Amino acid sequence: MEIVSENKAFGGTQGVYTHLSHSCSCEMTFGVFLPEEAKYGSVPVLWYLSGLTCTHENAMVKAGAQAWAAEHGIALVFPDTSPRGEKVADDDAYDLGKGAGFYVNATQTPWADHFQMWDYVAEDLPSMLQEKFPLDMSRQAITGHSMGGHGALTLAMSLPGRFRSVSAFAPICNPTGADWGKKQLSAYLGDDTDAWAKHDSSVLMLEKGFDGPVLIDQGADDQFIDLLRPETLAAAAAKRRQEFTLRMQKGYDHSYFFVSSFMEDHVAFHADALYAD
């Protein structure tokens, strides 16, 4: 692991680091915010997964999460959204390839060589973080925005016991039923729709649910709401009788102005779960 930068922030440290990812077979960049409490012992962890076109940096500088994480003594992890590098496959469209990994393990050419983002977030990066940082990996929570909200929800429901709580800002809720999903899942996973369903939070909510609290914030004026399909996730949660809160926020769109407006609520929501015992 190499240090790119470390800056004092809210009494703690906001760092940016690179490492060679075994799963993605390339160098990856990520951010970690450590609160002041990390100087004296391990601290709980909140993962933030970013959306289409983003890197590790977008949420790190725009979401305003560090102030609230510092208040609660929680570390933040900001992974990248895809593999990077000259040899990594890409596409001219903004919603496929670099910046659009969709948090799946690709099986199709040319993506399979590097686009193993599920393994990266679920196994590769956590393993290294546990070795390098004072993190209490028995107390983890996860959140994300848009494509990252999709990733947060699918990881939380597919890895029972890993995360104590999950939240999302304007997540892609039903990728098997919308253009933000069908295109990418078919490119990365091929025509096997059973494989697609494993990465659809509405399907997973019906089949598995989540053993813990779920919070979703959705801008009612989000320009992409028809692609996000929050109603499908809400219906699945209601049918399963899942502990679930969906807040439709009047006047808000899909931007980081929306995310930062409700970040305090989300960090507090996760703090309640992370410190429950």
Side-chain angles (χ1 to χ4, degrees), residues 53-258:
T53 75
C54 291
T55 69
H56 68 283
E57 189 176 37
N58 294 71
M60 194 179 79
V61 301
K62 292 181 179 180
Q66 292 91 336
W68 311 118
E71 184 175 303
H72 293 283
I74 295 171
L76 300 168
V77 177
F78 302 99
D80 202 347
T81 56
S82 76
R84 308 277 176 178
E86 293 182 3
K87 296 182 180 180
V88 175
D90 200 10
D91 189 270
D92 290 337
Y94 75 95
D95 57 353
L96 187 67
K98 294 178 184 177
F102 255 76
Y103 304 101
V104 303
N105 286 339
T107 60
Q108 305 299 300
T109 303
W111 313 107
D113 287 347
H114 298 285
F115 281 72
Q116 303 296 309
M117 287 302 294
W118 180 276
D119 282 352
Y120 178 68
V121 175
E123 303 297 338
D124 192 355
L125 186 55
S127 178
M128 195 205 63
L129 291 174
Q130 191 165 22
E131 293 181 5
K132 301 294 185 180
F133 297 94
L135 305 179
D136 183 353
M137 303 303 274
S138 70
R139 292 186 292 165
Q140 296 186 69
I142 191 166
T143 188
H145 173 228
S146 194
M147 179 186 73
H150 141 81
L153 289 164
T154 55
L155 282 156
M157 286 187 277
S158 299
L159 300 172
R162 173 76 63 92
F163 303 104
R164 295 193 180 190
S165 51
V166 58
S167 73
F169 302 87
I172 299 173
C173 296
N174 184 214
T176 64
D179 288 340
W180 268 3
K182 289 181 179 179
K183 171 184 177 180
Q184 294 83 0
L185 294 177
S186 63
Y188 295 141
L189 304 177
D191 297 330
D192 181 3
T193 55
D194 289 339
W196 298 11
K198 295 177 182 177
H199 297 282
D200 187 310
S201 61
S202 295
V203 174
L204 290 171
M205 181 62 74
L206 279 175
E207 293 181 351
K208 299 182 178 183
F210 177 70
D211 185 18
V214 181
L215 171 63
I216 308 294
D217 270 314
Q218 172 63 61
D221 288 4
D222 190 319
Q223 61 271 44
F224 304 114
I225 196 166
D226 290 338
L227 296 170
L228 304 173
R229 295 172 59 84
E231 67 278 2
T232 61
L233 181 61
K239 188 170 183 179
R240 189 175 180 84
R241 300 179 181 175
Q242 165 75 45
E243 182 181 1
F244 181 88
T245 300
L246 169 63
R247 307 191 304 187
M248 296 297 295
Q249 302 290 2
K250 185 177 180 180
Y252 285 90
D253 58 16
H254 199 71
S255 70
Y256 266 95
F257 295 111
F258 157 65

Side-chain angles (χ1 to χ4, degrees), residues 48 63-65 68 143 169 258-268:
Y48 185 101
W68 311 118
T143 188
F169 302 87
F258 157 65
V259 173
S260 60
S261 295
F262 300 102
M263 182 56 72
E264 179 182 6
D265 292 355
H266 283 244
V267 175

Side-chain angles (χ1 to χ4, degrees), residues 3-8 13-17 133:
I3 299 172
V4 176
S5 62
E6 288 184 331
N7 299 95
K8 189 174 180 66
T13 302
Q14 175 62 64
V16 176
Y17 309 91
F133 297 94

